[in-house]
């Protein structure tokens, strides 16, 4: 499921059941691109909580951790990356 592009903020609520379970409202699931079987991540900041699709959260963390690494490795353009991929494929095929 693709996340809907949200241009406006909205509020929705849900009831917490006896085992701590909550049904995520459909419009929230759609906004976050969450489907059956997907995982969600809760980010607690003081008394506020943000909920994200876990795959999106993991990608954002990875991007933050990798920021600047391509430049350190000598990749200055997309052509540099394409050249490295081509070279790696040739080396793999030669083995």
């Amino acid at each position: 499921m693709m996340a809907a592009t949200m241009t406006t903020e909205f509020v929705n609520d849900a009831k917490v059941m006896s085992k701590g379970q909550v049904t995520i409202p459909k419009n929230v699931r759609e906004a976050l691109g969450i489907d059956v079987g997907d995982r969600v991540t809760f980010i607690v900041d003081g008394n506020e909580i943000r909920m994200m699709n876990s795959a999106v959260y993991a990608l954002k963390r990875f991007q933050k951790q990798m920021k600047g690494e391509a430049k350190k490795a000598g990749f200055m353009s997309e052509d540099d990356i394409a050249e490295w991929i081509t070279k790696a494929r040739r080396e793999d095929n030669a083995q």
Side-chain angles (χ1 to χ4, degrees):
M1 177 183 286
M2 296 296 295
T5 303
M6 298 298 298
T7 56
T8 60
E9 183 177 302
F10 65 92
V11 175
N12 206 328
D13 63 354
K15 183 178 181 180
V16 179
M17 304 308 284
S18 62
K19 293 184 180 181
Q21 297 171 325
V22 174
T23 299
I24 303 168
K26 183 178 180 181
N27 60 341
V28 175
R29 292 191 315 266
E30 289 173 349
L32 296 177
I34 296 171
D35 206 354
V36 174
D38 288 349
R39 297 188 61 84
V40 295
T41 298
F42 298 95
I43 301 103
V44 180
D45 183 9
N47 65 349
E48 293 186 0
I49 298 173
R50 291 180 294 137
M51 182 178 72
M52 295 181 69
N53 180 317
S54 292
V56 172
Y57 179 71
L59 179 60
K60 286 184 175 213
R61 287 194 48 117
F62 179 70
Q63 288 173 328
K64 186 176 179 181
Q65 291 171 349
M66 295 306 295
K67 186 173 178 122
E69 293 300 314
K71 188 174 182 179
K72 289 179 191 175
F75 297 117
M76 305 306 269
S77 68
E78 289 183 23
D79 289 338
D80 291 341
I81 296 168
E83 183 179 320
W84 181 84
I85 291 170
T86 300
K87 182 180 175 185
R89 286 180 179 159
R90 286 184 186 142
E91 289 172 0
D92 285 347
N93 289 333
Q95 296 177 2

